[in-house]
Amino acid sequence: MTLILTRSDIAALLADLRDDIEAAVEGCHRDLALGRAVLPPPPAMPLPGSDGTFLAMASASAPDGLAAVKLLADLPANRARGLPVQRSAVLAVSAETGACEALLDGAEVTRARTAAATAVATRALARRDARVLGLVGTGPLARAHARALLPGRPYERIVLWGRDPGRTGETAAWITEELGVEVSVLSGPRAVAEAADVLCTLTPSREPLIRGAWLSPGQHINAVGAPPRPDHREIDTEGVVRCRIVVDAYSTARAKSGEVLIPLAEGALREDDFRCELGEVLAGTKPGRTSDTELTLFDSVGVGLQDLAVARLLIDAAHARRSGTRIELGA
């Protein structure tokens, strides 16, 4: 039988799995570094006559016993329709038998694994005495990041900016009410960048919102929001070049990340400057932060192996709790 998990099914399950998601995402990156998982670069399929593109994000994991593919639709024209710009679904099959184990809506999976990867990277790369968390962007990804980054970490306050003042105020109030942390809404990206010890950029921006001149020694930056397109980025070239760069996966960043591809094309960056993967830092085969004054950057493009890791959690939890829908898809 094949398990079908809708967005509401997944949201209900994730509410009880928050402590497990970060561990699962950390484990999948370590598995990749140690050769226990496979993650090819995703092919992009631009739609002729449209600015839309589709990505097939495939992966396979021996420890998780799954092979999976997330089909991601990135459709900017949806914004005018009042629909999500990005939509996705995850298909997971047994690595042993090839049987289709599950089909999952991708929205909640993507949000949860993205925030978890940021939390893993921040724990590995940020200074231990970081006290101020900065969020540029106030959509659902900002809330997911606040929830993922705060537990067990000594942040004293959050500084926040978003384009929409109404939504910014709502997000600030939600963080204070739900997570009990003081939030200051600041005047713009520069103010957030200059105030934060850990800075997360969470917007679908095409042009840089953060300038390198605004960054301070010892900061850690998570560049998260830009879609996987080589002409989109949130951090300018000076900012990227000033940092020690860690990517989620080199092959994916080399194909899809404007954060590194634009400086590379400009001759300001070399490929060796962004070959360090998060899993290698976690496995101890490459160093992370090397001093308290070093600037570190986690370039988060998002990879299918993270989706697979969260899918494994959800499939197991759904079977244990008898949630979701089961259909006879094939023999």
Side-chain angles (χ1 to χ4, degrees), residues 10 29 53 91 95 104 122 125 143 166 181 209 220 230 237 255 267 271-272 311-312 324:
I10 292 167
H29 279 282
T53 191
L91 176 70
L104 305 87
T122 300
L125 297 170
R143 297 191 184 199
V181 177
L209 291 172
H220 172 65
T237 294
E271 290 198 33
D272 285 348
R312 176 78 279 165

Side-chain angles (χ1 to χ4, degrees), residues 163-187:
R163 295 185 190 276
D164 183 329
R167 186 163 69 174
T168 300
E170 291 172 1
T171 300
W174 179 88
I175 292 171
T176 299
E177 292 167 8
E178 290 288 321
L179 305 175
V181 177
E182 175 189 346
V183 180
S184 300
V185 175
L186 301 187
S187 60

Side-chain angles (χ1 to χ4, degrees), residues 2-237:
T2 298
L3 174 68
I4 308 295
L5 291 177
T6 66
R7 183 176 302 188
S8 57
D9 293 332
I10 292 167
L13 290 167
L14 287 175
D16 296 325
L17 293 173
R18 299 193 193 283
D19 293 341
D20 301 316
I21 296 167
E22 186 176 328
V25 170
E26 178 176 352
C28 81
H29 279 282
R30 188 178 286 109
D31 288 338
L32 181 63
L34 297 176
R36 300 190 290 243
V38 180
L39 182 67
M45 299 173 284
L47 189 65
S50 164
D51 60 356
T53 191
F54 298 86
L55 280 82
M57 302 171 65
S59 61
S61 167
D64 283 328
L66 287 179
V69 61
K70 179 170 79 174
L71 183 61
L72 170 66
D74 185 57
L75 303 170
N78 269 1
R79 191 173 287 110
R81 303 181 181 113
L83 297 173
V85 171
Q86 291 191 348
R87 287 173 146 174
S88 60
V90 180
L91 176 70
V93 305
S94 166
E96 180 179 1
T97 69
C100 182
E101 288 204 19
L103 177 64
L104 305 87
D105 181 78
E108 295 291 338
V109 172
T110 301
R111 195 172 298 137
R113 60 82 154 154
T114 301
T118 300
V120 171
T122 300
R123 180 158 42 83
L125 297 170
R127 296 193 331 263
R128 294 185 180 276
D129 63 349
R131 293 292 181 268
V132 180
L133 173 62
L135 305 178
V136 173
T138 56
L141 200 56
R143 297 191 184 199
H145 273 69
R147 191 183 288 281
L149 284 165
L150 286 173
R153 296 170 176 87
Y155 297 116
E156 296 170 352
R157 68 188 180 108
I158 291 178
V159 292
L160 177 68
W161 174 83
R163 295 185 190 276
D164 183 329
R167 186 163 69 174
T168 300
E170 291 172 1
T171 300
W174 179 88
I175 292 171
T176 299
E177 292 167 8
E178 290 288 321
L179 305 175
V181 177
E182 175 189 346
V183 180
S184 300
V185 175
L186 301 187
S187 60
R190 179 172 185 167
V192 174
E194 291 179 341
D197 298 316
V198 172
L199 173 65
C200 301
T201 61
L202 307 165
T203 75
S205 183
R206 181 168 186 165
E207 300 299 328
L209 291 172
I210 303 298
R211 305 290 173 184
W214 305 342
L215 304 178
S216 302
Q219 279 182 308
H220 172 65
I221 301 99
N222 298 297
V224 181
R229 291 176 178 246
D231 60 346
H232 285 58
R233 59 175 176 167
E234 298 176 287
I235 317 292
D236 74 356
T237 294

Side-chain angles (χ1 to χ4, degrees), residues 271-294:
E271 290 198 33
D272 285 348
D273 293 329
F274 59 93
R275 283 188 182 273
C276 181
E277 296 186 351
L278 177 58
E280 295 171 317
V281 174
L282 298 172
T285 58
K286 288 187 179 178
R289 172 175 292 275
T290 60
S291 75
D292 284 344
T293 59
E294 187 173 44

